[in-house]
Structures are given as structure tokens and as C-alpha cells.
Amino acid sequence: MSKASTDSRRSESASETFSEHEPWAVPEADIAAWAEREKKRRQAWLEGPNEEEKQAWADAERQRRKRQYREDLLDIDLFDIDFEEGRRMADRMMTGFTNRMVETPLRKLGDLLREGRGAESRQRDPLRRRRRVHPDDND
């Protein structure tokens, strides 16, 4: 007899004696009951959903499709809009174009004018109020 077979027989007999006294040991009746419950659960799954489950899924799918339909309506498709909506969209685009092309250069011109006024006012200040900075001064 090999040492491995002797050791395995010892561990089997030891586990049998210890399993009777271990509080965490699982009896064969519990294992058989679990296996039966699991077999019934899997068989029911194979048979498919019952009418209540089918109806619940249909309700949930209907709600999902409604949400999707509403979201699709919110997305503007340029080919599906009516004339009034098209006119409003064109007005908005023209307003945006006018803003960009007219007001932005005028704002820049206004900024340049304000800067020029500031520079003139600094030039008019008396010399003692102006600070002179020489390129040689690094401190």
C-alpha cells in the first residue's frame, strides 16, 4: 500500500468522526431538500414565465418605449419640422449671426477706445505721479 492511499483513508475516517461532532456540518437531509428545491426552481425557469411575469414585462417595456418616444420627439430633426418652427429657427439663426458679426466687432472697438482713453489719461498725469521703470532695474 502506498502512503497516499493510507493518508486518504485516514482523512476520510477522520472527517466522518469529526463531522458528527462539528456544529457546522450539513446533514444529508438538508442537502437533499436543497437539491429538490433547486431542481424545482430550475424546472420552473425552463418552463418559462407565467402570465403575471409576462404582463409585468410588457408594462415595463411599454414604459421604456414611451420614454424613448418622448426623447426622440425632443430631438429636433431638420427634415421633420413644420414651417412655423422653421421660421422660428431661421430667426434665431439670423439673430445669432447678427450678434456675432455686428455686436462683437463693436464691443472690440469699444474696448480699444476705453484702452486709448486710459492711456491718454495716464499720459496727462504729472511726471511725479507716473512711475518710471528702466530696463536696467531688475530689482
Side-chain angles (χ1 to χ4, degrees):
M1 245 195 237
S2 70
K3 184 178 178 185
S5 63
T6 309
D7 288 339
S8 66
R9 266 197 254 144
R10 270 191 226 144
S11 63
E12 287 172 6
S13 64
S15 66
E16 288 172 5
T17 43
F18 285 124
S19 66
E20 295 171 0
H21 302 291
E22 294 173 347
W24 53 83
V26 180
E28 286 297 319
D30 289 350
I31 295 171
W34 171 82
E36 189 61 33
R37 284 192 312 269
E38 190 65 15
K39 185 176 181 181
K40 286 179 183 176
R41 184 187 68 80
R42 291 180 185 186
Q43 186 63 35
W45 184 85
L46 284 175
E47 291 171 1
N50 59 24
E51 289 304 315
E52 289 177 11
E53 292 169 333
K54 288 178 187 178
Q55 191 60 41
W57 178 86
D59 292 341
E61 182 65 14
R62 191 175 302 110
Q63 292 299 323
R64 186 194 67 78
R65 289 181 183 189
K66 274 185 187 178
R67 278 193 308 274
Q68 183 65 40
Y69 180 74
R70 288 183 189 138
E71 289 171 6
D72 289 345
L73 285 180
L74 293 177
D75 294 338
I76 296 175
D77 188 4
L78 293 178
F79 298 110
D80 292 338
I81 52 179
D82 61 347
F83 289 114
E84 187 62 33
E85 182 65 24
R87 281 191 210 106
R88 275 182 270 164
M89 188 177 287
D91 288 342
R92 286 184 203 132
M93 284 193 279
M94 287 305 293
T95 304
F97 178 75
T98 305
N99 250 356
R100 293 269 174 112
M101 296 308 290
V102 175
E103 291 182 14
T104 302
L106 291 177
R107 283 185 196 145
K108 288 181 181 177
L109 183 61
D111 291 343
L112 289 173
L113 288 173
R114 278 189 289 282
E115 273 186 51
R117 275 192 227 124
E120 284 177 354
S121 68
R122 284 192 300 273
Q123 290 292 331
R124 283 191 218 125
D125 283 345
L127 288 176
R128 66 178 181 273
R129 296 182 92 193
R130 287 192 299 176
R131 181 175 176 202
R132 292 183 183 210
V133 180
H134 297 285
D136 303 343
D137 294 339
N138 292 333
D139 31 83

